[in-house]
Amino acid sequence: MRSLRCLSAEVLVEPGAGAEQSLDTMAHDLYPLLFKAAFMQERAELLQALLTRWPLAEFRLGALLAPNADHPEDLRDRPCRPCLEACVRGLRAHALHATGRARLRWADLTGLRDVQEPRCRCGRPLGRWGRTGLLVRTCVELRAEPRVAGRPAVDLLADLFVTDGNFEAVVRALRPGPAPLRLRCLTFRGDSLRPGQLLQVLRLAGPGVLRSLQVVHNVRLHAGHVEQLLAHVRFPRLTALTLPAKAFDPPRARAPTPDGREPYLATIAMALSKMTQLTELSLAFSTLTGKIPQLLGSLQTPLRTLDLANCALNHVDMAFLADCLHAAHLEVLDLSGHELVSLYPATFFQLLGRAAPSLRALTLEECGLGDEHVGRLALGLSACLQLQELRLLGNPLSATALRRLFGCLCQLPELRCVEFPVPTDCYPEGATYPLDGPAVAKFDQQKYEEVAGELRAVLLQAGREDIQTCTPLFGTFDPDVQETGPELGAFLLQALKSTLEKFCSTLEQME
């Protein structure tokens, strides 16, 4: 329930109520409440005026839009373009013209959530890539403004999403030098960048304050690049690290030592061990056979999130995971692409048992889980009383096996989301797993709907209508890919063109 202060603020920010004209006479502790009310009503002009006159030393966008005692509604999934542009205009005016002792020292613009259906009334959300462009343009433009001697700069904390399309602008905004607004990066996502570009922008981004680093999709790194990156750029406060596919493939020019060890791995492991706050690690689609003990064994803090999907793990890796210090702290675990129950049943269920008290999300896609494994899987999951999300796409499970599994899942009190595969009954006879791209969609849609209805009925009969179920065959929504799709598509076409040219050149030389 909204407080009386909150209701009063909502009335005050309505058009014609005169809030803009009264800001200078208002108590400073009312500004955060007015800001949230104005953001909810998408009053861009008032938001700009509030930031221009902001009387407090700090501005935290995510905290202001989060639920609080006065206003319980969560507005962080409303990245409204007009509102955010107004906020940045207000910060610009504040940095140039604000006077007096009560003025901003830093503004934190992180904490927004990009969702598939943002609740902006204007219908014009601004995603992370767009927000990056807005901030870097503003910072670059302000460098040309005359500065008032002795006026301290305002530090601008941001989530940066850097691609080849905005790389040059980001570099200009991050370069050292006097500026009214100094851009500081808390989380960094890089896509469609060359390794040299990635290294350059990370050196400028203030790696000493960076908390999350995501290098994804079209950044072509090999283990030599990762070794160089971690050796030349320090990340003392990093809590989350994501590396792209094949990031641990050895460079062609470097061969293993005579005893079979790969020298780059020791350097990378040592660099990871110096990240004393690292709790989230994603290494999906890298070949890590037999490397997990060396990579994870020296980490200083237990991991809470671990993504090892399609990493070609072997028994040595699974035995280490089942017995390591991380197992008892894992909250999010992805082991997709490994036949865990068939090949490593003892170590897998030992790992699941140790992680059970803390595990919140488990992904086991394309793990070869068949009907014969459901009983043991259900038994292993029964101890995971904190589990909220379970993903099982790509496993050859029949409708009968799924009904049995759902009956057991009803006993998990915190479970809220289950992604289940299309039952084998719905595919043509003789379909082989894992299914390739075209084959995934060739199933009996009507029969699938019947089975999905039966599974929902199992949940409803158990009083678990709070569990949402779905079968996202082609992946879940990624707001960052959605926003930069045209650029990434052009990047892929250019990469394909370059590869074909090299191939043709090689053929000509052979002839």
Side-chain angles (χ1 to χ4, degrees):
M1 181 179 294
R2 294 186 176 92
S3 69
L4 182 59
R5 280 170 24 109
C6 173
L7 295 173
S8 300
E10 291 179 6
V11 172
L12 188 57
V13 301
E14 290 179 353
E20 291 94 331
Q21 292 74 33
S22 308
L23 290 178
D24 292 330
T25 63
M26 289 186 183
H28 292 178
D29 63 350
L30 292 178
Y31 271 65
L33 198 57
L34 289 171
F35 179 87
K36 187 170 185 179
F39 201 98
M40 183 175 69
Q41 297 188 25
E42 300 186 7
R43 292 289 319 284
E45 299 83 0
L46 180 53
L47 290 171
Q48 180 175 339
L50 283 165
L51 266 296
T52 300
R53 297 171 173 81
W54 196 259
L56 308 173
E58 303 174 359
F59 172 79
R60 298 172 180 261
L61 179 61
L64 290 172
L65 299 181
N68 56 50
D70 285 309
H71 195 302
E73 190 168 355
D74 192 343
L75 305 182
R76 288 173 294 182
D77 58 355
R78 297 189 188 186
C80 171
R81 179 186 295 268
C83 290
L84 294 173
E85 290 175 343
C87 290
V88 173
R89 288 195 300 270
L91 289 171
R92 173 183 179 138
H94 186 104
L96 289 175
H97 306 300
T99 58
R101 297 174 60 185
R103 63 186 305 275
L104 268 173
R105 293 293 176 265
W106 55 271
D108 185 347
L109 297 183
T110 66
L112 293 175
R113 294 194 296 257
D114 297 312
V115 296
Q116 187 166 2
E117 297 180 2
R119 296 184 296 142
C120 309
R121 296 179 183 178
C122 66
R124 299 168 56 204
L126 188 65
R128 178 159 50 164
W129 194 78
R131 296 194 295 271
T132 298
L134 172 64
L135 293 176
V136 299
R137 285 194 303 272
T138 302
C139 290
V140 170
E141 291 168 0
L142 280 176
R143 287 177 180 265
E145 295 282 349
R147 295 204 61 201
V148 177
R151 174 173 289 163
V154 177
D155 284 331
L156 199 59
L157 308 182
D159 299 324
L160 297 186
F161 182 8
V162 184
T163 64
D164 186 62
N166 65 6
F167 169 77
E168 293 295 340
V170 172
V171 166
R172 287 196 298 272
L174 291 174
R175 278 179 180 145
L181 288 177
R182 291 184 304 207
L183 195 58
R184 296 288 184 265
C185 181
L186 285 188
T187 73
F188 181 97
R189 179 181 172 106
D191 200 348
S192 69
L193 293 172
R194 296 186 299 277
Q197 290 177 313
L198 177 67
L199 183 60
Q200 180 183 358
V201 73
L202 283 175
R203 281 174 164 167
L204 293 171
V209 299
L210 193 67
R211 306 306 302 270
S212 173
L213 172 59
Q214 290 181 298
V215 186
V216 298
H217 302 309
N218 302 308
V219 182
R220 307 303 184 191
L221 299 184
H222 56 57
H225 296 134
V226 176
E227 179 186 33
Q228 181 185 23
L229 173 64
L230 298 184
H232 288 83
V233 186
R234 305 298 181 189
F235 303 102
R237 300 184 65 190
L238 200 70
T239 62
L241 174 63
T242 297
L243 293 175
K246 300 183 178 181
F248 282 83
D249 286 6
R252 293 181 180 178
R254 292 182 66 175
T257 59
D259 59 2
R261 292 186 298 109
E262 297 168 332
Y264 65 84
L265 196 61
T267 308
I268 295 172
M270 181 174 293
L272 291 176
S273 71
K274 294 178 181 178
M275 299 178 189
T276 57
Q277 299 184 41
L278 188 68
T279 59
E280 301 179 23
L281 186 61
S282 176
L283 306 176
F285 292 93
S286 284
T287 303
L288 297 175
T289 309
K291 301 175 183 177
I292 294 301
Q294 186 173 1
L295 274 177
L296 305 188
S298 56
L299 293 182
Q300 300 297 306
T301 52
L303 292 173
R304 294 201 304 267
T305 296
L306 181 59
D307 185 351
L308 296 175
N310 298 281
C311 288
L313 303 183
N314 64 11
H315 180 73
V316 172
D317 301 312
M318 290 301 302
F320 171 82
L321 290 175
D323 197 43
C324 68
L325 71 102
H326 309 292
H329 298 84
L330 288 172
E331 298 176 10
V332 179
L333 177 63
D334 190 340
L335 292 174
S336 298
H338 301 96
E339 296 196 8
L340 303 165
V341 182
S342 297
L343 299 180
Y344 320 113
T347 50
F348 169 64
F349 286 110
Q350 181 184 346
L351 170 60
L352 191 59
R354 291 195 62 203
S358 58
L359 196 62
R360 294 185 295 104
L362 177 63
T363 303
L364 301 174
E365 298 180 357
E366 295 189 355
C367 286
L369 297 172
D371 290 11
E372 67 276 17
H373 303 130
V374 165
R376 192 162 184 186
L377 178 62
L379 182 61
L381 292 174
S382 65
C384 301
L385 299 181
Q386 301 302 315
L387 192 67
Q388 299 174 14
E389 302 174 12
L390 177 64
R391 298 178 177 87
L392 298 171
L393 297 179
N395 289 294
L397 294 169
S398 68
T400 301
L402 285 170
R403 283 192 293 268
R404 181 183 174 193
L405 179 61
F406 269 56
C408 299
L409 295 179
C410 292
Q411 308 304 314
L412 301 181
E414 301 299 323
L415 191 63
R416 295 294 180 271
C417 174
V418 179
E419 293 183 3
F420 66 94
V422 174
T424 54
D425 318 53
C426 301
Y427 283 106
E429 188 175 349
T432 57
Y433 285 77
L435 298 164
D436 59 19
V440 168
K442 295 179 179 178
F443 62 92
D444 187 326
Q445 183 69 40
Q446 182 177 353
K447 191 169 184 179
Y448 166 78
E449 294 295 343
E450 292 175 359
V451 175
E454 293 172 359
L455 297 177
R456 285 192 292 270
V458 171
L459 298 177
L460 292 174
Q461 187 174 3
R464 295 304 307 272
E465 59 274 2
D466 56 328
I467 299 178
Q468 302 296 316
T469 62
C470 61
T471 306
L473 288 178
F474 302 104
T476 54
F477 176 75
D478 187 332
D480 294 319
V481 173
Q482 184 79 8
E483 189 179 16
T484 57
E487 180 188 343
L488 299 184
F491 183 88
L492 286 173
L493 288 174
Q494 182 60 41
L496 176 61
K497 179 175 179 291
S498 176
T499 300
L500 290 175
E501 288 174 349
K502 291 179 181 179
F503 179 70
C504 292
S505 176
T506 302
L507 288 178
E508 291 174 359
Q509 292 175 6
M510 292 175 62
E511 290 175 355

